[in-house]
PDB file of all heavy atoms in Angstrom:
ATOM      1  N   ARG A 231     -73.491 102.109 122.065  1.00  0.00           N
ATOM      2  CA  ARG A 231     -73.954 101.620 120.761  1.00  0.00           C
ATOM      3  C   ARG A 231     -75.463 101.400 120.712  1.00  0.00           C
ATOM      4  O   ARG A 231     -75.999 101.112 119.643  1.00  0.00           O
ATOM      5  CB  ARG A 231     -73.216 100.334 120.408  1.00  0.00           C
ATOM      6  CG  ARG A 231     -71.710 100.564 120.289  1.00  0.00           C
ATOM      7  CD  ARG A 231     -70.957  99.305 120.014  1.00  0.00           C
ATOM      8  NE  ARG A 231     -71.358  98.793 118.713  1.00  0.00           N
ATOM      9  CZ  ARG A 231     -71.159  97.550 118.319  1.00  0.00           C
ATOM     10  NH1 ARG A 231     -70.578  96.697 119.110  1.00  0.00           N
ATOM     11  NH2 ARG A 231     -71.542  97.149 117.130  1.00  0.00           N
ATOM     12  N   PHE A 232     -76.155 101.506 121.851  1.00  0.00           N
ATOM     13  CA  PHE A 232     -77.615 101.392 121.823  1.00  0.00           C
ATOM     14  C   PHE A 232     -78.174 102.525 120.972  1.00  0.00           C
ATOM     15  O   PHE A 232     -77.778 103.680 121.124  1.00  0.00           O
ATOM     16  CB  PHE A 232     -78.213 101.484 123.228  1.00  0.00           C
ATOM     17  CG  PHE A 232     -78.151 100.207 124.009  1.00  0.00           C
ATOM     18  CD1 PHE A 232     -77.389 100.118 125.148  1.00  0.00           C
ATOM     19  CD2 PHE A 232     -78.881  99.098 123.619  1.00  0.00           C
ATOM     20  CE1 PHE A 232     -77.326  98.952 125.886  1.00  0.00           C
ATOM     21  CE2 PHE A 232     -78.832  97.922 124.343  1.00  0.00           C
ATOM     22  CZ  PHE A 232     -78.057  97.849 125.476  1.00  0.00           C
ATOM     23  N   SER A 233     -79.094 102.193 120.093  1.00  0.00           N
ATOM     24  CA  SER A 233     -79.635 103.223 119.201  1.00  0.00           C
ATOM     25  C   SER A 233     -80.626 104.132 119.921  1.00  0.00           C
ATOM     26  O   SER A 233     -80.679 105.327 119.638  1.00  0.00           O
ATOM     27  CB  SER A 233     -80.306 102.574 117.986  1.00  0.00           C
ATOM     28  OG  SER A 233     -81.351 101.718 118.424  1.00  0.00           O
ATOM     29  N   GLY A 234     -81.399 103.591 120.838  1.00  0.00           N
ATOM     30  CA  GLY A 234     -82.376 104.397 121.549  1.00  0.00           C
ATOM     31  C   GLY A 234     -81.762 105.161 122.710  1.00  0.00           C
ATOM     32  O   GLY A 234     -81.006 104.607 123.510  1.00  0.00           O
ATOM     33  N   TYR A 235     -82.060 106.433 122.786  1.00  0.00           N
ATOM     34  CA  TYR A 235     -81.511 107.284 123.833  1.00  0.00           C
ATOM     35  C   TYR A 235     -81.836 106.750 125.228  1.00  0.00           C
ATOM     36  O   TYR A 235     -80.958 106.687 126.091  1.00  0.00           O
ATOM     37  CB  TYR A 235     -82.047 108.714 123.673  1.00  0.00           C
ATOM     38  CG  TYR A 235     -81.628 109.636 124.784  1.00  0.00           C
ATOM     39  CD1 TYR A 235     -80.361 110.202 124.780  1.00  0.00           C
ATOM     40  CD2 TYR A 235     -82.493 109.941 125.837  1.00  0.00           C
ATOM     41  CE1 TYR A 235     -79.963 111.056 125.799  1.00  0.00           C
ATOM     42  CE2 TYR A 235     -82.105 110.784 126.858  1.00  0.00           C
ATOM     43  CZ  TYR A 235     -80.839 111.340 126.836  1.00  0.00           C
ATOM     44  OH  TYR A 235     -80.448 112.177 127.858  1.00  0.00           O
ATOM     45  N   ASN A 236     -83.093 106.383 125.462  1.00  0.00           N
ATOM     46  CA  ASN A 236     -83.498 105.923 126.783  1.00  0.00           C
ATOM     47  C   ASN A 236     -82.786 104.634 127.185  1.00  0.00           C
ATOM     48  O   ASN A 236     -82.358 104.494 128.332  1.00  0.00           O
ATOM     49  CB  ASN A 236     -85.011 105.732 126.860  1.00  0.00           C
ATOM     50  CG  ASN A 236     -85.745 107.046 126.865  1.00  0.00           C
ATOM     51  OD1 ASN A 236     -85.212 108.067 127.304  1.00  0.00           O
ATOM     52  ND2 ASN A 236     -86.965 107.046 126.360  1.00  0.00           N
ATOM     53  N   TYR A 237     -82.652 103.682 126.258  1.00  0.00           N
ATOM     54  CA  TYR A 237     -81.921 102.447 126.551  1.00  0.00           C
ATOM     55  C   TYR A 237     -80.469 102.745 126.870  1.00  0.00           C
ATOM     56  O   TYR A 237     -79.880 102.189 127.791  1.00  0.00           O
ATOM     57  CB  TYR A 237     -81.974 101.474 125.369  1.00  0.00           C
ATOM     58  CG  TYR A 237     -83.328 100.850 125.164  1.00  0.00           C
ATOM     59  CD1 TYR A 237     -84.017 101.033 123.978  1.00  0.00           C
ATOM     60  CD2 TYR A 237     -83.916 100.072 126.164  1.00  0.00           C
ATOM     61  CE1 TYR A 237     -85.259 100.467 123.782  1.00  0.00           C
ATOM     62  CE2 TYR A 237     -85.156  99.501 125.973  1.00  0.00           C
ATOM     63  CZ  TYR A 237     -85.820  99.699 124.786  1.00  0.00           C
ATOM     64  OH  TYR A 237     -87.046  99.139 124.597  1.00  0.00           O
ATOM     65  N   ARG A 238     -79.871 103.626 126.067  1.00  0.00           N
ATOM     66  CA  ARG A 238     -78.461 103.987 126.239  1.00  0.00           C
ATOM     67  C   ARG A 238     -78.220 104.616 127.607  1.00  0.00           C
ATOM     68  O   ARG A 238     -77.322 104.210 128.341  1.00  0.00           O
ATOM     69  CB  ARG A 238     -78.047 104.929 125.109  1.00  0.00           C
ATOM     70  CG  ARG A 238     -76.596 105.271 125.085  1.00  0.00           C
ATOM     71  CD  ARG A 238     -76.186 106.006 123.810  1.00  0.00           C
ATOM     72  NE  ARG A 238     -77.026 107.152 123.497  1.00  0.00           N
ATOM     73  CZ  ARG A 238     -77.836 107.228 122.445  1.00  0.00           C
ATOM     74  NH1 ARG A 238     -77.930 106.231 121.593  1.00  0.00           N
ATOM     75  NH2 ARG A 238     -78.548 108.305 122.218  1.00  0.00           N
ATOM     76  N   MET A 239     -79.031 105.591 127.955  1.00  0.00           N
ATOM     77  CA  MET A 239     -78.829 106.292 129.224  1.00  0.00           C
ATOM     78  C   MET A 239     -79.135 105.392 130.419  1.00  0.00           C
ATOM     79  O   MET A 239     -78.466 105.473 131.449  1.00  0.00           O
ATOM     80  CB  MET A 239     -79.687 107.564 129.270  1.00  0.00           C
ATOM     81  CG  MET A 239     -79.308 108.582 128.204  1.00  0.00           C
ATOM     82  SD  MET A 239     -77.530 108.911 128.067  1.00  0.00           S
ATOM     83  CE  MET A 239     -77.219 109.712 129.608  1.00  0.00           C
ATOM     84  N   TYR A 240     -80.119 104.525 130.271  1.00  0.00           N
ATOM     85  CA  TYR A 240     -80.443 103.579 131.332  1.00  0.00           C
ATOM     86  C   TYR A 240     -79.271 102.630 131.570  1.00  0.00           C
ATOM     87  O   TYR A 240     -78.867 102.387 132.715  1.00  0.00           O
ATOM     88  CB  TYR A 240     -81.699 102.789 130.981  1.00  0.00           C
ATOM     89  CG  TYR A 240     -82.046 101.729 131.985  1.00  0.00           C
ATOM     90  CD1 TYR A 240     -82.596 102.071 133.214  1.00  0.00           C
ATOM     91  CD2 TYR A 240     -81.825 100.387 131.709  1.00  0.00           C
ATOM     92  CE1 TYR A 240     -82.920 101.102 134.148  1.00  0.00           C
ATOM     93  CE2 TYR A 240     -82.140  99.413 132.633  1.00  0.00           C
ATOM     94  CZ  TYR A 240     -82.689  99.772 133.855  1.00  0.00           C
ATOM     95  OH  TYR A 240     -82.994  98.807 134.775  1.00  0.00           O
ATOM     96  N   ALA A 241     -78.690 102.109 130.491  1.00  0.00           N
ATOM     97  CA  ALA A 241     -77.562 101.187 130.611  1.00  0.00           C
ATOM     98  C   ALA A 241     -76.368 101.875 131.264  1.00  0.00           C
ATOM     99  O   ALA A 241     -75.736 101.313 132.171  1.00  0.00           O
ATOM    100  CB  ALA A 241     -77.184 100.641 129.238  1.00  0.00           C
ATOM    101  N   ILE A 242     -76.064 103.079 130.843  1.00  0.00           N
ATOM    102  CA  ILE A 242     -74.934 103.822 131.413  1.00  0.00           C
ATOM    103  C   ILE A 242     -75.161 104.082 132.890  1.00  0.00           C
ATOM    104  O   ILE A 242     -74.256 103.900 133.718  1.00  0.00           O
ATOM    105  CB  ILE A 242     -74.713 105.136 130.632  1.00  0.00           C
ATOM    106  CG1 ILE A 242     -74.206 104.817 129.230  1.00  0.00           C
ATOM    107  CG2 ILE A 242     -73.762 106.059 131.360  1.00  0.00           C
ATOM    108  CD1 ILE A 242     -74.190 105.998 128.288  1.00  0.00           C
ATOM    109  N   ARG A 243     -76.368 104.483 133.241  1.00  0.00           N
ATOM    110  CA  ARG A 243     -76.685 104.757 134.648  1.00  0.00           C
ATOM    111  C   ARG A 243     -76.558 103.496 135.496  1.00  0.00           C
ATOM    112  O   ARG A 243     -75.984 103.520 136.590  1.00  0.00           O
ATOM    113  CB  ARG A 243     -78.080 105.359 134.765  1.00  0.00           C
ATOM    114  CG  ARG A 243     -78.425 105.818 136.171  1.00  0.00           C
ATOM    115  CD  ARG A 243     -79.745 106.572 136.233  1.00  0.00           C
ATOM    116  NE  ARG A 243     -80.849 105.767 135.760  1.00  0.00           N
ATOM    117  CZ  ARG A 243     -81.543 106.006 134.639  1.00  0.00           C
ATOM    118  NH1 ARG A 243     -81.242 107.035 133.871  1.00  0.00           N
ATOM    119  NH2 ARG A 243     -82.549 105.236 134.284  1.00  0.00           N
ATOM    120  N   ARG A 244     -77.079 102.370 134.995  1.00  0.00           N
ATOM    121  CA  ARG A 244     -76.995 101.111 135.732  1.00  0.00           C
ATOM    122  C   ARG A 244     -75.548 100.652 135.921  1.00  0.00           C
ATOM    123  O   ARG A 244     -75.175 100.167 136.985  1.00  0.00           O
ATOM    124  CB  ARG A 244     -77.772 100.011 135.005  1.00  0.00           C
ATOM    125  CG  ARG A 244     -79.274 100.127 135.069  1.00  0.00           C
ATOM    126  CD  ARG A 244     -79.820  99.900 136.475  1.00  0.00           C
ATOM    127  NE  ARG A 244     -79.378  98.654 137.069  1.00  0.00           N
ATOM    128  CZ  ARG A 244     -80.039  97.505 137.038  1.00  0.00           C
ATOM    129  NH1 ARG A 244     -81.210  97.456 136.474  1.00  0.00           N
ATOM    130  NH2 ARG A 244     -79.539  96.437 137.604  1.00  0.00           N
TER     131      ARG A 244
END
Side-chain angles (χ1 to χ4, degrees):
R231 298 177 64 198
F232 279 115
S233 59
Y235 175 80
N236 288 332
Y237 289 120
R238 186 170 51 247
M239 297 313 293
Y240 176 75
I242 291 169
R243 187 173 59 248
R244 287 292 306 266

